[in-house]
Amino acid sequence: MNFSWEYFFELFLKLPAYIPVTIFIAIFSMILAILVGALMTWFQLSGHKFLKYFANTYISLFRGMPTLVQLFLIFYGLPQLFPVFQGMTAITAAIGGLGLKQSAYLAEIFRAAVNSVDKGQVEAGQALNIPGWKIFIHVILPQATLNALPATGNTFVSLLKETSLVFTLGITELFAHAKMVAGGSLRYFETYLAVGLLYWIMIIIYTWLQSIFEKDLAAPYRRSVDESN
């Protein structure tokens, strides 16, 4: 085995220059996924049959189709069907494709989180004639957010790794640059090992930040439990 540690460490220090593009795509895709996922959750929980049917069809479609196919349909297919999409940049298509894909998963996560909130609290608020929107904002939303956070974090981790697919649209992010370097140097193992470790480090950092956020978000509930004891 002809493994070059010198080349590995040299590449390990150079590749992070392309991490900002990866993080940019991941963050804005996640923002889109949260917004659309929340909308689909609202449709699912509404009493309107058409909205529920639309949301269920949307979730089934985007969960059942491979991510790469969705990226190609958005970037290459939409401009052919709708002239307004002509001139769409590859990054826009990447954010749209990844965001819509993950929104289908987030919709199910958000729905389960809302349903996990004790219905007795909602009924108590209604008995006190508290407006429905106040009950949602002050009672349901904080608890649902806390319940949904672990699964939402896992979705972002998957999204961060799925950004490696956007090289197929011509975007030079972390994986795309590594692929070109590996093809030129023929040192595939060193290159892809460096890339894999960089993705791992990003996920470790994000997991640490998420754990801090979870503790801060859960602090009021821990204090309430301690005071009751």
Side-chain angles (χ1 to χ4, degrees), residues 45-160:
L45 297 176
S46 70
H48 198 290
K49 289 185 178 180
F50 174 77
L51 293 180
K52 292 177 67 174
Y53 177 79
F54 176 83
N56 291 333
T57 302
Y58 175 93
I59 292 169
S60 176
L61 175 65
F62 281 93
R63 288 177 64 183
M65 193 179 300
T67 305
L68 195 58
V69 174
Q70 292 179 17
L71 291 174
F72 282 0
L73 283 174
I74 291 175
F75 188 55
Y76 297 111
L78 284 183
Q80 295 182 7
L81 296 177
F82 305 102
V84 69
F85 289 105
Q86 292 180 0
M88 176 173 52
T89 64
I91 286 187
T92 301
I95 291 173
L98 295 177
L100 294 177
K101 172 75 172 182
Q102 296 302 329
S103 69
Y105 293 96
L106 288 182
E108 292 290 271
I109 292 171
F110 295 163
R111 180 181 62 83
V114 170
N115 288 333
S116 69
V117 177
D118 184 11
K119 298 297 186 293
Q121 299 179 47
V122 177
E123 293 171 356
Q126 292 172 341
L128 295 172
N129 292 323
I130 299 175
W133 65 270
K134 283 190 175 182
I135 295 175
F136 178 79
I137 292 177
H138 298 291
V139 178
I140 298 176
L141 187 59
Q143 296 180 68
T145 301
L146 183 60
N147 294 338
L149 192 57
T152 303
N154 289 336
T155 301
F156 182 76
V157 168
S158 298
L159 178 59
L160 186 62

Side-chain angles (χ1 to χ4, degrees), residues 156-196:
F156 182 76
V157 168
S158 298
L159 178 59
L160 186 62
K161 292 182 289 186
E162 280 195 332
T163 57
S164 60
L165 296 174
V166 304
F167 82 94
T168 57
L169 304 184
I171 300 174
T172 306
E173 40 71 64
L174 179 59
F175 181 77
H177 182 69
K179 191 172 184 296
M180 291 186 290
V181 169
S185 64
L186 299 181
R187 289 197 172 274
Y188 296 100
F189 189 76
E190 292 95 328
T191 304
Y192 291 130
L193 178 61
V195 171

